[in-house]
């Protein structure tokens, strides 16, 4: 077994400028990573008046975020870095960081931090920290209005309004029809005689806001008029469900605003169609199912005192007793003797000829 024969030769030149003295305990610390050692030696090599933070040092040393967090935690645990937040003059919060070449306890670090002066507004700080001079508003302060309505319609002066949904053709036609009906000088529906279903009609109209959000703002002054129109539907034989279904069919599509829900309902209930009852299909007669023993039998159409069932062989309608007997062929009799003229010539047999 050969031993390692590597020999390392070291050559060191003492720098004449820009150098720092560090203890070997920092460079050879067993619980500090290389990033933590580099971060600590970088901070100790800075001038005394330098105010470079640890995060800036990590960026200059090209130490990543996770490595920086781990290195800073190791330096705090070993006592080389101490950090605290205090409130300085003017209510501003200041973060104080202490970097030491030797490990310090919390009490020792607090004594050293207490000796360092806090930053004030006269010190050289970032412009973002110094508050800008305030410009008070003109006039006396007033309390905001918490109730009431605006004096004028502010929609024209309001910018960045949401886009209104495009009105469908059916909704535009319905609104135009409502306006046309209102423009015609007709007798008011309130003059119509009250029917026997007026109370039910009022309950029907009161339930309209529950059918659709578009019907929630029906004017209360129009409910009696709509109740009389709905009573006409009930007098014609329609049910409350039929009226509600007719009103829902006449509403515009989803997302289309209804500006005059009362006028739209009045237009939909003005004409009362006749009620058409659904035609039911004629009932089909129930098929009598025979027993397994009688499957394939048929009733004889012949003269029987009681129904006679038989099993047909083909498509006959009569049983074997009523069916006519088939015609019989004549029985074959003895052959008549042949006349001399009907004699049959036979072929020659051994040269013998039969006389004719």
């Amino acid at each position: 077994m050969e031993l390692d024969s590597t020999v390392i030769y070291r050559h060191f030149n003492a720098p004449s400028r820009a150098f720092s003295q560090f203890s070997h305990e920092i460079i050879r610390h067993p619980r500090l990573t290389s990033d933590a050692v580099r971060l600590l030696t970088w901070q100790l090599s800075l001038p005394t008046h330098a105010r470079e933070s640890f995060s800036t040092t990590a960026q200059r040393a090209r130490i990543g975020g996770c490595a920086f967090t781990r290195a800073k935690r190791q330096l705090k645990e070993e006592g080389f870095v101490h950090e605290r937040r205090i409130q300085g003059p003017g209510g501003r919060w200041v973060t104080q960081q202490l970097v030491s070449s030797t490990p310090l306890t919390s009490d020792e670090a607090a004594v050293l931090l207490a000796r360092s002066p806090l930053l004030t507004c006269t010190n050289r700080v970032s412009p973002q920290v110094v508050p800008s001079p305030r410009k008070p508003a003109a006039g006396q302060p007033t309390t905001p209005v918490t109730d009431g309505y605006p004096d004028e319609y502010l929609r024209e002066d309001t910018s960045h309004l949401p886009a209104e949904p495009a009105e469908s053709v059916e909704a535009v036609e319905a609104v135009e029809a409502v306006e046309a009906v209102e423009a015609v000088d007709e007798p008011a529906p309130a003059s119509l005689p009250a029917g026997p279903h007026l109370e039910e009609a009022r309950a029907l109209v009161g339930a309209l806001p529950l059918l659709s959000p578009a019907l929630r703002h029906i004017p209360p002054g129009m409910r009696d008029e709509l109740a009389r129109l709905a009573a006409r539907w009930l007098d014609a034989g329609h049910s409350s469900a039929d009226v509600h279904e007719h009103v829902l069919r006449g509403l515009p599509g989803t997302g289309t605003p209804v500006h005059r829900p009362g006028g739209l309902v009045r237009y939909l209930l003005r004409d009362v169609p006749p009620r058409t009852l659904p035609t039911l299909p004629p009932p089909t007669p129930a098929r009598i199912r025979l027993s397994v023993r009688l499957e394939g039998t048929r009733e004889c159409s012949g003269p029987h005192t009681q129904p006679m069932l038989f099993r047909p062989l083909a498509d006959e309608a009569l049983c074997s007793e009523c069916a006519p007997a088939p015609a019989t062929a004549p029985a074959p009799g003895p052959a008549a003797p042949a006349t001399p003229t009907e004699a049959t010539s036979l072929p020659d047999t051994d040269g013998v000829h039969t006389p004719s």
Side-chain angles (χ1 to χ4, degrees):
M1 181 176 179
E2 296 182 0
L3 298 176
D4 190 2
S5 59
T6 302
V7 180
I8 300 178
Y9 299 93
R10 298 176 179 86
H11 176 70
F12 179 78
N13 289 330
S16 59
R17 62 182 183 86
F19 64 92
S20 301
Q21 295 182 356
F22 301 109
S23 172
H24 292 172
E25 296 179 357
I26 297 178
I27 301 176
R28 305 172 186 175
H29 201 288
R31 291 182 298 275
L32 294 180
T33 60
S34 59
D35 294 331
V37 173
R38 189 180 185 189
L39 193 63
L40 178 59
T41 56
W42 192 303
Q43 280 286 333
L44 293 176
S45 65
L46 295 176
T48 307
H49 61 275
R51 298 187 180 277
E52 182 176 323
S53 61
F54 274 93
S55 58
T56 305
T57 302
Q59 293 178 359
R60 295 178 59 185
R62 297 184 179 182
I63 300 176
C66 296
F68 167 68
T69 305
R70 181 170 55 253
K72 188 176 180 181
R73 183 179 65 250
Q74 293 176 357
L75 293 176
K76 287 183 177 181
E77 292 175 354
E78 297 301 327
F80 290 99
V81 175
H82 295 269
E83 188 177 40
R84 71 174 183 176
R85 286 180 58 83
I86 60 175
Q87 192 171 11
R92 295 183 298 110
W93 286 91
V94 181
T95 302
Q96 290 183 328
Q97 293 178 339
L98 174 63
V99 184
S100 174
S101 60
T102 57
L104 300 176
T105 62
S106 300
D107 298 336
E108 295 174 349
V111 173
L112 294 177
L113 288 174
R115 299 175 183 176
S116 59
L118 296 178
L119 293 177
T120 60
C121 295
T122 58
N123 294 109
R124 186 179 178 182
V125 294
S126 174
Q128 298 180 355
V129 180
V130 180
S132 59
R134 299 185 58 184
K135 295 181 180 180
Q140 298 295 330
T142 57
T143 57
V145 180
T146 58
D147 58 351
Y149 296 92
D151 298 336
E152 58 183 1
Y153 188 61
L154 302 178
R155 187 178 182 85
E156 300 177 356
D157 301 334
T158 305
S159 59
H160 305 291
L161 293 175
E164 295 184 356
E167 297 186 358
S168 59
V169 180
E170 296 80 0
V172 174
E173 294 178 354
V175 173
E176 291 179 354
V178 171
E179 294 177 353
V181 170
E182 292 178 352
V184 178
D185 188 10
E186 295 181 355
S191 61
L192 298 175
H197 302 87
L198 185 58
E199 294 299 329
E200 184 180 356
R202 288 177 179 173
L204 185 151
V205 174
L208 288 178
L210 303 178
L211 299 180
S212 174
L215 303 177
R216 292 178 180 175
H217 303 289
I218 297 178
M222 295 185 61
R223 299 205 172 184
D224 292 340
E225 177 184 354
L226 299 179
R228 288 183 172 83
L229 291 176
R232 295 172 53 196
W233 284 69
L234 299 178
D235 295 340
H238 297 278
S239 62
S240 300
D242 297 339
V243 179
H244 287 167
E245 184 178 357
H246 177 72
V247 172
L248 289 177
R249 284 199 303 265
L251 294 179
T254 305
T256 303
V258 179
H259 301 287
R260 300 177 183 177
L264 179 59
V265 175
R266 180 173 58 188
Y267 168 74
L268 296 175
L269 299 181
R270 189 173 296 273
D271 298 330
V272 183
R275 185 186 183 191
T276 56
L277 297 176
T279 57
L280 299 177
T284 57
R287 182 181 177 184
I288 301 176
R289 182 177 179 84
L290 300 177
S291 63
V292 180
R293 186 173 59 87
L294 300 179
E295 286 288 341
T297 59
R298 180 183 297 178
E299 183 179 354
C300 178
S301 58
H304 292 280
T305 306
Q306 296 180 352
M308 179 64 180
L309 299 179
F310 72 100
R311 196 178 302 275
L313 299 178
D315 197 16
E316 58 269 16
L318 299 176
C319 63
S320 58
E321 297 180 2
C322 300
T328 57
T339 57
T341 58
E342 296 176 355
T344 305
S345 59
L346 299 175
D348 296 341
T349 305
D350 298 334
V352 179
H353 297 277
T354 305
S356 58

